[in-house]
Amino acid sequence: MDVTVHLAQDPEADALLGRSPLAALVGMLLDQQIPMEWAFKGPRTIADRLGADDLDAHEIAARDPESFAALLSDKPAVHRYPGSMAKRIQQLCQYLVDHYDGDAEGVWRGVDDGHELLRRLEELPGFGKQKAQIFLALLGKQLGVTPQGWREAAGSYGEPRSHRSVADITGPESLAKVRAFKQEMKAAAKTAKATKTANAKATTATTAKTAKTAKTAKKP
């Protein structure tokens, strides 16, 4: 794998992501509850603190959990929750060691069906369906991995120029579009939650009022 990406908006971090399958997977794992470019800069930061040019699944899986968590916690921290993310990264690396001999690219190498690749990605520790679909879209749109049916398997994230996820980030302009989309979705979810809560309260109040009326009606 040797491609040019602009996910971290940092030349050195992006260079690592473009050549290292494990770095790309780790960046995707970190992409939650922090800005996308911060997440994808994480693999480069981890490699630097390990004194290495790349990430190695065997090495990371074998490291003492406390020392690895401390490595991610050093300022600037790799993630908002460095301790829990350190654990997840080690779990991911151990899974890759157990199932792919530590070769992250083995997850998708030779896979010719998009749905099969999605299944493999969903099996990775820390990868739910949404994260697996986003990474599948990233593989197809930017990393040259295009098994048959990959767009369909990736769902809406596989749509061309959808700007729904990191899979569509190719520079500052597209980053802004993806961030705007995420903010819109967050606002919509917040509104939906508030509406649901208001409706539930209204239903409870109506039920209570009905019960009170019925109780009053029963009095002699």
Side-chain angles (χ1 to χ4, degrees):
M1 190 172 91
D2 187 10
V3 298
T4 299
V5 297
H6 301 280
L7 308 178
Q9 305 289 295
D10 175 275
E12 291 187 2
D14 283 326
L16 177 60
L17 294 168
R19 70 172 186 270
S20 170
L22 180 54
L25 279 176
V26 170
M28 189 72 248
L29 184 65
L30 291 169
D31 185 21
Q32 58 188 66
Q33 298 181 297
I34 60 173
M36 292 170 283
E37 62 271 32
W38 180 5
F40 282 91
K41 189 176 180 180
R44 177 74 268 173
T45 302
I46 295 171
D48 288 343
R49 292 177 183 179
L50 289 172
D53 292 328
D54 196 355
L55 301 181
D56 183 282
H58 290 277
E59 179 185 356
I60 292 175
R63 289 187 71 88
D64 173 70
E66 289 188 7
S67 66
F68 189 64
L71 183 143
L72 268 68
S73 300
D74 286 347
K75 294 183 178 181
V78 170
H79 194 275
R80 180 177 296 169
Y81 305 107
S84 61
M85 295 311 298
K87 182 178 180 180
R88 291 186 183 185
I89 291 172
Q90 287 195 291
Q91 290 173 337
L92 171 63
C93 288
Q94 186 61 61
Y95 183 90
L96 293 173
V97 168
D98 294 341
H99 294 82
Y100 298 98
D101 194 26
D103 178 14
E105 193 171 7
V107 176
W108 56 84
R109 184 189 297 112
V111 179
D112 57 10
D113 179 79
H115 291 280
E116 168 61 18
L117 179 50
L118 178 63
R119 184 191 67 79
R120 290 192 179 197
L121 291 170
E122 287 185 277
E123 290 178 346
L124 298 175
F127 278 67
K129 182 175 182 179
Q130 183 183 51
K131 190 178 286 290
Q133 285 187 312
I134 292 173
F135 192 77
L136 176 54
L138 176 62
L139 286 171
K141 290 181 176 182
Q142 299 201 46
L143 304 183
V145 180
T146 56
Q148 183 175 358
W150 70 270
R151 287 190 185 276
E152 292 77 7
S156 59
Y157 301 107
E159 296 173 3
R161 298 177 296 281
S162 61
H163 294 108
R164 292 174 178 268
S165 72
V166 67
D168 294 292
I169 295 175
T170 56
E173 183 178 350
S174 54
L175 171 61
K177 290 181 179 180
V178 172
R179 180 166 288 126
F181 175 81
K182 287 179 173 289
Q183 290 173 343
E184 288 176 8
M185 292 300 99
K186 186 179 294 185
K190 186 176 181 180
T191 299
K193 183 178 180 181
T195 301
K196 183 178 180 180
T197 300
N199 289 340
K201 288 182 178 179
T203 300
T204 300
T206 300
T207 302
K209 184 177 180 179
T210 301
K212 184 178 180 180
T213 300
K215 183 176 181 182
T216 302
K218 288 181 180 180
K219 289 183 179 181

